[in-house]
């Protein structure tokens, strides 16, 4: 009697900030070891992040993995491993949009905010200096009109003068249309092309790898992970939310793991 075929590998997609990395940028040894264990079993362990390409690839080095694909910029950029590329990955799929209308709309509501735009090559343009932890150290300061003319993969808006509740109220009043946006832990708005998010990038990767929807496991903690959780849950996969996530994020997961301080990623992966 023939043996049952081996199950398909898992597609494991991990958010970075607040999921893998602590606020101070540290990675738990326990989490790193568990990520490498699951990867070594033949599963497709990858990153799905709002970060730019330049701030994402060093995390792969720290984890000690080299996945076939990586989703960056909240789904706007999908990388494919390519040993001939300068950093070992090339841009396989890029979504862009005209940021001018949304930037001008936001500016009328958040005149004191900091604005930045990322282009298809990963270059950042901003109206004034941003914290290094947000864009990295390489960016170009340009006038607002020039910023609005860049063909964008995403727009980043930070409004230091607002607390979170006030910021959420302002974003609600803006009524943003024809773009996809998410709100971070602080007064941070991350805007992608219309209909683009981590879920759209991951579905593209899942299709390329031909992995069943039921063998998807996503882990995250932020509002920019909500579509990713909904996508995984709808296909019968695992949508794992970190315990410290906001209530509206916890509500869309299929399960909750422990917090980042208690190595929640390692706990979630331990059953694979």
């Amino acid at each position: 009697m023939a043996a049952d075929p081996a199950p398909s590998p898992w597609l494991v997609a991990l958010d970075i900030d607040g999921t893998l990395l602590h606020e101070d940028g540290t990675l738990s040894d326990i989490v790193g070891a568990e990520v490498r264990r699951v990867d070594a079993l033949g599963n497709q362990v990858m990153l799905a992040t709002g970060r730019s390409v330049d701030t994402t690839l060093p995390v792969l080095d720290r984890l000690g993995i080299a996945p076939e694909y990586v989703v960056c910029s909240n789904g706007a950029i999908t990388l494919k491993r390519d040993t001939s590329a300068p950093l070992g990955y090339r841009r396989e799929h890029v979504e862009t949009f005209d940021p001018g209308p949304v930037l001008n709309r936001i500016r009328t509501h958040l005149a004191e905010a900091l604005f930045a735009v990322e282009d298809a090559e990963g270059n950042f343009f901003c109206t004034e200096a941003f914290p290094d932890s947000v864009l990295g150290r390489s960016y170009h300061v340009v006038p607002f009109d020039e910023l609005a003319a860049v063909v964008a993969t995403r727009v980043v808006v930070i409004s230091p003068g607002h607390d979170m509740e006030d910021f959420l109220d302002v974003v609600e009043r803006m009524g943003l249309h024809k773009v996809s946006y998410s709100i971070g832990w602080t007064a941070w708005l991350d805007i992608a092309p219309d209909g683009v998010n981590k879920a759209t990038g991951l579905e593209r990767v899942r299709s390329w790898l031909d992995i069943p929807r039921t063998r998807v496991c996503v882990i995250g903690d932020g509002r920019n992970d909500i579509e990713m959780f909904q996508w995984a849950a709808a296909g019968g996969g695992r949508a794992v939310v970190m315990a410290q996530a906001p209530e509206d994020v916890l509500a869309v997961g299929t399960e909750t793991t422990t917090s980042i301080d208690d190595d929640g990623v390692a706990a979630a992966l331990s059953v694979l």
Side-chain angles (χ1 to χ4, degrees):
M1 185 175 183
D4 292 335
S8 298
W10 283 90
L11 173 60
V12 179
L14 306 172
D15 172 54
I16 296 177
D17 298 293
T19 302
L20 285 171
L21 299 188
H22 292 256
E23 188 174 345
D24 63 1
T26 57
L27 170 69
S28 161
D29 290 342
I30 293 171
V31 168
E34 190 63 17
V35 168
R36 288 186 291 276
R37 181 192 70 82
V38 173
D39 181 71
L41 290 175
N43 299 297
Q44 294 285 338
V45 183
M46 61 176 291
L47 301 177
T49 178
R51 287 187 175 210
S52 65
V53 172
D54 287 349
T55 57
T56 298
L57 293 182
V59 180
L60 292 178
D61 293 335
R62 294 177 64 183
L63 289 169
I65 61 173
E68 190 70 17
Y69 296 100
V70 179
V71 170
C72 302
S73 301
N74 285 318
I77 298 177
T78 302
L79 304 177
K80 180 177 174 57
R81 190 172 65 229
D82 182 351
T83 55
S84 67
L87 296 176
Y89 284 86
R90 69 170 187 265
R91 285 166 169 74
E92 185 72 2
H93 185 90
V94 178
E95 303 268 8
T96 60
F97 69 113
D98 172 10
V102 70
L103 279 171
N104 283 297
R105 185 172 183 80
I106 294 170
R107 196 185 192 191
T108 63
H109 292 268
L110 298 169
E112 302 303 315
L114 306 179
F115 300 92
V117 169
E118 181 182 4
D119 72 9
E121 300 304 316
N123 301 304
F124 274 103
F125 302 85
C126 50
T127 50
E128 56 187 284
F130 259 64
D132 289 346
S133 60
V134 176
L135 305 182
R137 296 181 181 275
S138 178
Y139 53 80
H140 310 278
V141 177
V142 298
F144 184 86
D145 290 346
E146 188 174 331
L147 184 77
V150 175
V151 177
T153 57
R154 69 166 176 159
V155 168
V156 178
V157 182
I158 300 177
S159 188
H162 287 85
D163 63 27
M164 196 57 190
E165 282 193 21
D166 185 28
F167 186 72
L168 288 169
D169 183 57
V170 171
V171 171
E172 183 69 23
R173 292 201 312 269
M174 274 192 274
L176 297 176
H177 298 293
K178 297 185 178 179
V179 291
S180 298
Y181 66 92
S182 60
I183 302 163
W185 277 98
T186 55
W188 171 306
L189 188 62
D190 212 325
I191 302 167
D194 186 26
V196 173
N197 50 60
K198 291 185 183 184
T200 60
L202 288 172
E203 173 56 24
R204 189 175 293 110
V205 170
R206 186 204 65 79
S207 176
W208 287 339
L209 294 172
D210 195 26
I211 292 177
R213 290 281 298 274
T214 55
R215 301 289 286 182
V216 165
C217 173
V218 300
I219 309 177
D221 73 305
R223 292 185 174 92
N224 63 333
D225 296 317
I226 288 176
E227 294 89 353
M228 177 175 79
F229 292 138
Q230 293 170 330
W231 167 76
R238 297 177 66 197
V240 185
V241 187
M242 305 291 287
Q244 81 277 359
E247 288 298 324
D248 54 338
V249 180
L250 289 165
V252 297
T254 60
E255 58 189 280
T256 302
T257 188
T258 53
S259 73
I260 188 168
D261 291 329
D262 293 317
D263 298 323
V265 169
L269 294 181
S270 65
V271 298
L272 296 184

